[in-house]
Structure formats: structure tokens, C-alpha cells
Amino acid sequence: MIWSTWRQHRPEALACLAGLAAAAAAILYADASVGLLRTNTDLVQDIRLALMAAPLLVGVFVGAPLVARDLEQGTHRLVWTQGTTRSRWLRVKLLLVFSVVAAAAALLAGLLTAALFSTPEHVDRWYWFDFLAPAFVAYVVFALWLGIALGAVIGRTYPAMAATLVLFVVARAVVEGILRPRYLPPLSIRIVDFGTIDIPRGMSADWPVGYAYYDAHGHPMSLDDILALMNRDRVSIPTPNLAAHGLSGWAYFQPDARFWLFQGIETAIFLGLAALLAGLAYHWLARRVT
Amino acid sequence: MAVITFHLDSRSGVSYYVQLMQQVRQAVRFGMLRAGDQLPTVREVVAAVAVNPNTVLRAYRELEHEGLAVTRQGLGTFIAAGVAAPIEQPLYRSLRGDLERWIRAARSQGVDDATLAALFDHVLRESHEEVRA
Amino acid sequence: MTVCLEAAGLGMRYRSTWALRGCDLRIPAGRITALVGPNGAGKTTLLHLAVGLLRPTEGSVRVLGWIPAAEPDLVLARLGFVAQDTPLYRRYSVAETLRLGRALNRRWDEAAATDRLRRLRIPLDRRVGRLSGGQRAQVALALALAKRPELLLLDEPLASLDPLARRQFLQELMDAVAGDGLAVVLSSHLVAELERVCDHLVLLDGGRVRLAGDIEGVVAEHRLLVGPREAARPAGVHVVAAEQAQRQTTLWVRGEPPDLAAGWGVSPLSLEDVVLAYLAGPAPGEAAPEAAVEVSA
């Protein structure tokens, strides 16, 4: 069955291999030439863009058609009625594809991680959060199983690809934008002057996740409110010092020490979702009515 | 190259196995099959004519009952020895010529095929009764 | 007489419609069975249940003695199946298609398959998508036969084939039956083309079995009676369908009328006529038959 899985998905496999080779080559080249930490160069930005897109491409072009194409074209009526049972066919095929894809992702992310940390220069880890080994592999695995599950349930290739695209982007945006800053309660430092956040020396590697301003009674104030207030009082209190206006402000950070913990949490979230989706896909297909 | 080929008419209303038997009898009558000749195997017939193998088996079995054929295990089905000799060529040609003339004459008078066939059957049957009488 | 496929109270429901309901069936082994019925009668559903692609909503189906959904390994090893429209991977070559079969089946006779395809002059290195409809059907048949099944199920195999391709397909099929003695069930919505090849018939309509039996028996048991309109219905026969014209009543019946009043003419019916009579629905004034008509061998 290894041959039949390879033969059936040969185009995708070759495309992934080509993509993997190109990305690895780009990373090695960038590392050797400008250095990956030159994040203001086009080359590094392009590499980041490609790696950002990679899990999505895997989900849409490998995961979604994996089962959907057979269902859509009716060839499941051919392959599920040979001498191999449906569950064996699915088990072998899905596990095989999953293993290969996960290994390729681990290889690529491992390469990048090693290249990033190979120099003694300081790395802004939070800036590379999405691309380091555990998180990147989790995104790819999640995207793959999302595609497979949607392909199984929807049963048609193009709609499954579209749904995978949308749901993957939403999932990543929600987790990264809303959940990640809150995995653990952030630390805070006081903002002294409005408009200036003095970052103490030891906190330069920490990840800023937000700020908040309050009035004397503890009610939240928006930036516009504060500007209006300071404008109103600019003659009497001509200083941006918040305390002078009876206001207070706080800046929130996730300390650098928590970095790997956060990687672990995010990885666990996406791997957990992937496991749920795998279960859903398998269960759905095992009981599917033709 | 098969000895004879069969042709089945799905519209004649005659059972297929009967049609096969008739065609074997006809082949014997006209000398295309002689005593000892092997009939096409079931597989050959079926591959040529797309009919149920059981139909061919049945036809061959019935021919065996009639004494026209003999099945030898593992070898095939053969025309039995002592089968009526085919009609001689000159006699065949002369009879055929007479019949053709008769048909042409009837047709020129506007008689259709169905009436011709019925007339022939009727006279043929009556001729047996005449002999008995 | 062993049974190669049997169903008891078999029912299959999709959402709110029953594709099959109360289906009772016993298909004898060693026969070539025609599964006929109009489109939507449930033929494909029945075949998919037999092959394990579907699980019954109610009742049971057994193939060669086993329940397909419960023992797929045992059933699939002995069952050949060609689905409607002969699904194949269009981008695979013929040789790759055979290789797929070899990879997925335990018992595999590659030589027989390649011999057959060579005999039919189908090039092994051509992509399946480039073959004609008739050639694709032959490849699908060769694939199904290469696993040396005991029972072969074919879902409308002749549907999109031209007459020559149809004839060639049936020739190959009959050759395989003559050589291996396998049982075959072929479904079709056309009766006439199956008559020379099949010896057993199952008629499905509206998800139920209406008529089942050996074709010879079915044809022998049914007759056409034509009589004057005012004449009394002959007794001792079961009326399958009836038609009233101005001066004349036509009855399609099963059974031999013990004595016919004057004015009634009897004539035989072709298999297609019998099937059409059953499909026409109950005769006016007759109740719809609940039980299927079974004609024993």
C-alpha cells in the first residue's frame, strides 16, 4: 500500500519535496550570506512569508484533497472494495502521509532553529515564535488534519480546500492574537509619562502584549480620552506625567523566561486540535454512507 | 479458426439452446460437419456469441440425447458416428435451384415471405399424411 | 442449491427516503443473475450493501454466507465489484491500475489479466483516461476478475457503451464464467440485452423485490390473454397488469388458466414484456402485491 499511496499523491509529494528543498536552500543561503537575523532584508522577509504560508499550503493542497478527491470522483468505490478493508486503507494512507509531512516540517523547522541560534548574537525569540521547531510542526500537523477532516466531511475537493483555508487562518489568528498573550497572566510595569514606555534594561527581550490606562477612580480610559484630557489641561498641567493628571498607566509583558513554556502551550493546543480532527475524520469515514 | 460459427436471433422467439441445436443439425445436413468432427468448445462459443454458457451446455446435452453428438470427458463434444450422410452436392444444387425458381415465381405474383413459408410447411406436413394414407 | 447472495428484510434509508425496504432475496450460486428495475429502484443501493460500502438501516444481507459489514476481509477477498461508470484512476496507466489491484488483493492472477488485455489489444502503458469507454470497461472487468472471485457484482456495466463494446464486454464476461464458473449479478435498466446472457432474474421496483426466479420459469409461467371487453375474467390466474380498450381487454397473467371461455386468446410473453407488466403497477381493481412473486426453478 505504500506504492499506492505514493502513486496516488505523487504530484503533491513532488511539490512538497521541491518546496522543502527550496526553503531549506533559502535558509542555508540566507544564513551564510546576510545572516538570518538581518530581518530588514527582503530575503529574510521572503523566507518568513514562505514559512508562514507553508502550513496553510500543506492543509489546502495536501490535506483537503487527500480523501475528498476519492470521494468526489467515486474512486472510493474502487479502492474500498478490493481486498483491503476501508479502515486499513485509511489507516495506512493517512498515517503514511502524516508521518512524511510531520518529518518534513520538523526537518525544515529544525534547520531554521539551528541556523538562528548558531550565532552568538542575541535572537529576538518572540519575533521568530511561529517559525521555531515545536510551533511550526504543530501548525503543519494541524493544517494537514484540518484539511483531511474537512475533505472527509464535505466530500468535495474545492469546497474542502476553501473551508480549510478559512478555518486555518481563523484558528491561527485567534490563537496568536487573542490567546497567546494570555497563556499566563502578564507582568506589568508602570507607565510614568504618557506616550513613553521605558523598558528597563533586563526586560528588553520580553514580549510586550499591551497597555492600559486608568483614571483616579480606576476606570479604564482610552487613548483618545487621555489626549482630550491632556489637551484640556495643557495650560494648567503642562506635563505628560500621568500621575500629575491623576491618571495611571500600565504596560504588560510576557517575560522572556516564559518563552519555551508558551511554545509548549501553543504546540499542545494545535496538536490537541489535530488529534481531535484526526479522530473526527477517521470516525466519519468509517461510518460514511456512499 | 472455429469449425462453424453460431448466430443467435434474439427476436425469433425460439429458445437460444434450440437455435444452437438447429444450427448444428443444419451444419450436419449440409456437410459442414461430419461424423467425428469436434463441435466448438463452450468457451469458444461463448466468447464468440456472448451467450450464457449453460445454454451451450444444454444444447450439447440435448444433441447427445438425440444421438447426434457425443461428449467425451475432457476432450469435447463430437458429432456421433453413424449420423445421416449429408445431402450430395449435385442433388443439393439442383434442389436449391428448383427452390429458388419457385420462390422467384411466387414473388413475382406478389406472394409475401410469410405466406410462402406457411404454404411450404403446410404442404410438407400434408405430404407425410399422404404417405400414411 | 447454495445461495450466493441473500437478503432478509433489508432496508436502507437516506435522510427521509427509503431506497430499499423489506427486501427479501435469495440469489442461487452458479447463475448469471439480471438485477433489473427502473432508475431509482434500489439496484445500486442493493449492490453497495452487498459489497460493504453501505451499512443497512434494517434487516440483513449475506454474501457467500458472510455479512459484508461485519466481515469485510472475508467477503472482499471473494467478491469482485465494478461500480457504476467504472471508476478508475484516469491518470494511472493500465499497468499501474493492475498494480494497484495487486497491491490491494491477496489473491491475484496478473498473468490472466494481462493476457486478456493483450488479447483485446489494450495497450498496458496507456493512461486509463485515454482509453475508450469500452476499453475502460474491459480494464475494470479484468481488474475484478484478476482476484479470482467467486461472485462478481456489476452495476450497470453496459450503460455507457456502444453496441459493439457491449457485445465485447459480454463476450469477455461469458468467457470468464465458462472458464472459472463464477456467479455473476449484473444490474441494468434494460432487460433485452441481458436475456441471452442471464438465466436468473430479480426485478426491483420502488425499493422492493417484485419478481424473482429463473428466467425460463418466469417466461413459461406468464401469458398474455386477450379477450372481449365484456367477458368475465378467467379464473385460476393471477393478473399482473390489465389494459382496457374499447372492444377488448388485455391481461398479463401468471399461471395457466384451467379452462378458457370462448373468445379468449393466449399468447406467450417475452421476458421484457413480463418485466414491463410488473413495472406497470397493480392492475386497476387489484390490490398492490405485498409479497414478491417468486418463481422456483
Side-chain angles (χ1 to χ4, degrees), chain A residues 1 3-4 7-11 69-70 73-86 88-89 93 286-290, chain C residues 12 14 48 51-55 72-73 76 79 81 83-84 87-89 91-93 96 99-101 103-106 108 143 147:
Chain A
M1 258 204 72
W3 175 82
S4 46
R7 180 58 187 90
Q8 189 179 358
H9 303 290
R10 203 167 57 185
R69 209 180 284 142
D70 266 325
Q73 297 186 337
T75 41
H76 63 292
R77 294 174 298 160
L78 171 69
V79 288
W80 292 357
T81 56
Q82 298 300 312
T84 306
T85 59
R86 179 194 309 202
R88 179 154 187 272
W89 163 266
K93 176 153 115 143
R287 301 196 50 77
R288 188 187 172 97
V289 287
T290 318
Chain C
M12 185 74 216
Y14 292 118
H48 282 193
V51 116
L53 281 172
L54 290 176
R55 245 185 215 108
D73 279 321
L76 289 177
L79 191 63
F81 177 59
Q84 207 165 3
L88 291 170
Y89 288 109
R91 295 228 183 86
Y92 285 28
S93 69
E96 285 175 326
R99 183 162 177 192
L100 180 68
L104 298 179
N105 284 291
R106 228 157 301 173
W108 191 254
L143 196 67
K147 65 198 274 200

Side-chain angles (χ1 to χ4, degrees), chain A:
Chain A
M1 258 204 72
I2 296 180
W3 175 82
S4 46
T5 305
W6 154 254
R7 180 58 187 90
Q8 189 179 358
H9 303 290
R10 203 167 57 185
E12 292 98 318
L14 292 175
C16 279
L17 203 64
L20 178 65
I27 291 172
L28 289 172
Y29 174 71
D31 188 45
S33 57
V34 299
L36 282 167
L37 297 171
R38 290 267 182 278
T39 55
N40 53 352
T41 54
D42 279 346
L43 178 61
V44 174
Q45 286 303 321
D46 287 343
I47 289 176
R48 284 176 58 93
L49 191 62
L51 290 179
M52 195 65 138
L56 180 63
L57 294 176
V58 165
V60 169
F61 292 103
V62 177
L66 205 67
V67 182
R69 209 180 284 142
D70 266 325
L71 294 174
E72 188 172 30
Q73 297 186 337
T75 41
H76 63 292
R77 294 174 298 160
L78 171 69
V79 288
W80 292 357
T81 56
Q82 298 300 312
T84 306
T85 59
R86 179 194 309 202
S87 43
R88 179 154 187 272
W89 163 266
L90 286 173
R91 255 196 334 262
V92 174
K93 176 153 115 143
L94 297 183
L95 283 182
L96 206 63
V97 172
F98 163 65
S99 315
V100 170
V101 165
L107 205 72
L108 195 59
L111 181 67
L112 179 74
T113 309
L116 265 180
F117 291 103
S118 61
T119 61
E121 273 182 64
H122 168 76
V123 181
D124 182 357
R125 302 195 286 195
W126 293 99
Y127 184 65
W128 289 93
F129 190 100
D130 296 3
F131 308 94
L132 297 183
F136 182 77
V137 175
Y139 300 154
V140 169
V141 167
F142 166 70
L144 179 69
W145 284 106
L146 178 66
I148 293 174
L150 288 172
V153 169
I154 295 175
R156 296 213 314 282
T157 314
Y158 290 130
M161 287 166 83
T164 306
L165 176 79
V166 169
L167 289 180
F168 179 79
V169 168
V170 165
R172 281 277 279 121
V174 165
V175 169
E176 180 160 341
I178 300 176
L179 295 183
R180 193 192 294 173
R182 295 171 176 75
Y183 288 157
L184 286 181
L187 300 184
S188 53
I189 63 165
R190 189 176 272 283
I191 302 175
V192 176
D193 290 336
F194 180 64
T196 325
I197 298 180
D198 265 319
I199 302 175
R201 177 80 52 113
M203 287 178 64
S204 59
D206 292 349
W207 179 36
V209 294
Y211 49 80
Y213 295 96
Y214 302 96
D215 68 8
H217 304 283
H219 298 142
M221 294 195 65
S222 73
L223 285 181
D224 294 329
D225 292 342
I226 297 182
L227 268 172
L229 185 82
M230 291 201 166
N231 242 352
R232 190 193 68 198
D233 296 340
R234 70 178 178 281
V235 172
S236 52
I237 316 176
T239 165
N241 185 293
L242 287 169
H245 291 265
L247 302 172
S248 60
W250 298 91
Y252 298 102
F253 291 87
Q254 294 290 0
D256 195 42
R258 290 180 182 175
F259 179 80
W260 286 110
L261 178 62
F262 273 37
Q263 271 271 314
I265 294 174
E266 184 142 332
T267 302
I269 291 176
F270 280 102
L271 287 183
L273 285 174
L276 276 173
L277 289 165
L280 169 69
Y282 196 76
H283 179 79
W284 184 270
L285 287 169
R287 301 196 50 77
R288 188 187 172 97
V289 287
T290 318

